[in-house]
C-alpha cells in the first residue's frame, strides 16, 4: 500500500463522527424494537398456535399453548430482571386473540386483533407524518435523548424521521393488503403460516430503512445534556453571586 492509499488522520477524523452516529443509531433501534429476542417473543406464540392447530384442529389447545408460552416469556424476563415491555405486549396481543377466537368460535379470529393493530399502526405512521409529527420520531426521540427537539431545531432529522415513518406505514399497509384477503378466503392454517412468514421480513426491512435514513441524518440534539449543562451553569452563577455577596459584606 502506498502513502496515497493509506487513510490520513484527517480522513479518519471525518469518518469517526459518521461511524459513531451509525453505532448510536444501531443501539437505539436495537433498544426500541427489542432486537433478536424481541422478534422471537413476537413470533413464537403465533407459530405455536398455528403448528398445534394444523396438527389437531383444536382451537382451545392451540390458544392455551400460545397464551402459556407468552406468559413463560414474561416470567423469564422478570427472572432475569430484564425489560418486559416486548414480552408484555406479546401477552396482551395473544390474550386479545384468544378471547376473540373463543367468543366467536372461529380460529381465524385469533389473528384478527393483531391484523387490526397492524392496520391501525400503518395508518398512524402515515397520518402523523402528514401532520408533521412522524411517529417514528416520537418513538425514537426519547431513546436518542433528543425528545422532540428534532421538530424545530433539527430539520435534517425531522426529514429522516418522516422518510422512516413513510417506510413503516407503506410496508405495514402492504402486509395488510396480503393478510386481510387471506382472512376471508384462506383457511386458518394457511392464514396462520402466511402471517408467521410475514412477521420478521417486513419488520427487518422497515428497521433497515430506518437505520439508513437516520445514519445519514444530522446527529441528535441531546436535550438532557443541555438541561444538565444549564443547571450546572445556574448553580455556578448562584455560587459566584453568593461568594461576591459575602465578599462585599466583609469589605463593607
Amino acid at each position: 500500500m502506498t502513502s496515497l492509499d493509506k487513510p490520513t488522520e484527517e480522513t479518519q477524523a471525518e469518518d469517526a463522527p459518521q461511524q459513531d452516529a451509525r453505532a448510536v443509531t444501531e443501539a437505539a433501534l436495537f433498544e426500541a424494537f427489542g432486537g433478536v429476542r424481541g422478534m422471537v417473543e413476537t413470533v413464537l406464540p403465533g407459530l405455536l398456535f398455528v403448528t398445534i392447530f394444523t396438527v389437531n384442529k383444536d382451537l382451545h389447545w392451540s390458544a392455551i399453548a400460545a397464551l402459556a408460552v407468552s406468559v413463560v416469556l414474561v416470567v423469564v424476563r422478570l427472572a432475569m430482571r430484564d425489560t418486559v415491555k416486548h414480552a408484555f405486549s406479546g401477552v396482551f396481543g395473544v390474550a386479545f386473540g384468544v378471547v376473540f377466537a373463543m367468543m366467536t368460535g372461529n380460529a381465524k379470529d385469533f389473528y384478527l386483533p393483531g391484523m387490526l393493530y397492524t392496520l391501525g399502526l400503518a395508518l398512524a405512521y402515515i397520518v402523523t407524518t402528514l401532520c408533521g409529527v412522524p411517529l417514528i420520531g416520537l418513538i425514537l426521540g426519547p431513546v436518542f435523548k433528543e425528545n422532540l427537539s428534532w421538530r424545530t431545531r433539527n430539520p435534517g432529522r425531522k426529514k429522516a424521521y418522516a422518510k422512516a415513518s413513510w417506510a413503516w406505514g407503506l410496508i405495514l399497509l402492504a402486509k395488510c393488503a396480503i393478510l386481510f384477503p387471506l382472512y376471508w378466503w384462506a383457511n386458518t392454517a394457511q392464514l396462520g403460516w402466511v402471517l408467521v412468514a410475514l412477521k420478521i421480513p417486513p419488520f427487518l426491512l422497515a428497521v433497515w430503512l430506518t437505520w439508513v435514513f437516520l445514519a445519514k441524518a444530522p446527529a441528535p440534539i441531546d436535550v438532557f445534556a443541555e438541561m444538565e449543562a444549564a443547571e450546572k451553569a445556574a448553580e455556578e452563577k448562584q455560587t459566584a453571586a453568593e461568594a461576591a455577596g459575602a465578599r462585599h459584606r466583609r469589605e463593607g
Side-chain angles (χ1 to χ4, degrees), residues 1-250:
M1 178 182 290
T2 67
S3 59
L4 293 176
D5 296 325
K6 296 179 181 178
T8 63
E9 293 182 2
E10 183 179 351
T11 303
Q12 292 175 340
E14 291 175 354
D15 291 342
Q18 186 176 10
Q19 293 173 353
D20 291 342
R22 290 180 177 179
V24 170
T25 300
E26 290 173 6
L29 290 174
F30 191 90
E31 177 182 344
F33 298 115
V36 175
R37 188 172 179 181
M39 288 188 286
V40 171
E41 291 171 344
T42 300
V43 172
L44 191 56
L47 177 61
L48 190 60
F49 178 91
V50 69
T51 301
I52 294 176
F53 189 85
T54 300
V55 173
N56 60 21
K57 300 296 187 290
D58 190 315
L59 170 61
H60 292 81
W61 279 111
S62 302
I64 290 172
L67 188 58
V69 75
S70 298
V71 173
V72 168
L73 292 172
V74 171
V75 172
V76 171
R77 286 268 192 178
L78 291 172
M80 298 179 64
R81 297 182 179 180
D82 201 353
T83 177
V84 295
K85 61 181 180 180
H86 299 289
F88 265 128
S89 65
V91 168
F92 289 128
V94 171
F96 276 116
V98 168
V99 171
F100 207 70
M102 292 294 188
M103 289 176 59
T104 64
N106 184 354
K108 283 197 290 188
D109 288 339
F110 172 80
Y111 303 110
L112 189 56
M115 292 165 57
L116 292 173
Y117 171 79
T118 300
L119 178 60
L121 188 59
L123 295 176
Y125 276 115
I126 293 173
V127 171
T128 55
T129 304
L130 292 174
C131 292
V133 193
L135 181 58
I136 198 70
L138 299 178
I139 296 172
L140 295 180
V143 178
F144 282 111
K145 300 181 181 179
E146 60 182 335
N147 286 349
L148 295 178
S149 63
W150 51 267
R151 287 195 62 200
T152 55
R153 300 173 56 192
N154 205 337
R157 279 190 81 75
K158 182 178 180 179
K159 185 177 181 180
Y161 281 138
K163 290 180 179 179
S165 289
W166 274 115
W168 279 91
L170 294 176
I171 288 171
L172 292 180
L173 278 182
K175 181 178 176 180
C176 291
I178 296 172
L179 293 178
F180 276 97
L182 288 176
Y183 174 80
W184 297 107
W185 301 333
N187 61 41
T188 301
Q190 291 170 336
L191 173 62
W193 286 113
V194 172
L195 197 147
V196 168
L198 290 178
K199 277 284 187 180
I200 301 302
F203 172 81
L204 290 179
L205 176 59
V207 170
W208 178 76
L209 288 173
T210 302
W211 178 83
V212 169
F213 294 139
L214 291 181
K216 297 179 180 179
I221 299 172
D222 191 336
V223 295
F224 295 105
E226 288 184 342
M227 287 189 291
E228 291 176 358
E231 291 175 358
K232 184 177 180 180
E235 290 176 358
E236 292 176 350
K237 185 177 180 180
Q238 183 178 359
T239 301
E242 291 174 354
R247 185 170 60 251
H248 179 72
R249 288 192 296 270
R250 287 196 303 268

